[in-house]
Amino acid sequence: VAGNRDSMEQVLLNLGKNALQAMPEGGTLMIGTQKRGDRVLLTFRDCGSGVAEEDLQRVFEPFFTTKSRGTGLGLALCKKIVEEHAGTIELSSVANEGTTVTVTLPLVKRERDRWG
């Protein structure tokens, strides 16, 4: 995957931080990668508080937050950065069960692609 290292680091840190904050009593955060065709999927899955169904459509809007101390800019910034890297970001969630965020980014094609 090609891109701005600092920007992509910001995405990874923000998604990880959100997941951990959704599990204040502890829990499991699973982070995985998967190659799918000419793209790579990066998945963050937590078993935290989840997002209410009525809020799912708004999670990537600037200044929308369900946190008492949040700014509502984290996921909006993640979406902007991922889209600038020709990718997509999706969030699925069930209240009180957890959230999965999937970032999909294009792979860089090289003369000798080590992915096969």
Side-chain angles (χ1 to χ4, degrees):
V1 174
N4 180 285
R5 179 181 176 173
D6 292 335
S7 295
M8 290 310 299
E9 182 177 325
Q10 183 65 48
V11 170
L12 301 177
L13 288 172
N14 193 47
L15 294 178
K17 182 179 174 184
N18 281 358
L20 294 174
Q21 288 176 345
M23 302 181 294
E25 304 300 318
T28 302
L29 168 57
M30 294 185 297
I31 302 172
T33 58
Q34 177 184 12
K35 181 181 181 270
R36 190 171 292 164
D38 63 349
R39 304 185 77 70
V40 65
L41 280 64
L42 176 63
T43 305
F44 286 73
R45 180 174 293 129
D46 68 58
C47 61
S49 56
V51 177
E53 188 174 343
E54 61 269 16
D55 294 334
L56 285 174
Q57 298 299 319
R58 300 190 63 206
V59 294
F60 294 110
E61 291 179 14
F63 306 109
F64 176 78
T65 184
T66 59
K67 298 177 186 176
S68 61
R69 298 184 65 190
T71 63
L73 293 175
L75 286 176
L77 180 60
C78 286
K79 181 176 172 68
K80 181 179 184 304
I81 291 169
V82 168
E83 288 176 348
E84 286 173 349
H85 287 79
T88 61
I89 185 169
E90 298 175 353
L91 184 143
S92 62
S93 188
V94 177
N96 300 313
E97 289 186 24
T99 300
T100 299
V101 178
T102 303
V103 174
T104 305
L105 296 165
L107 288 170
V108 175
K109 197 67 171 163
R110 296 186 181 148
E111 189 174 326
R112 291 182 178 219
D113 190 345
R114 66 182 176 141
W115 295 92

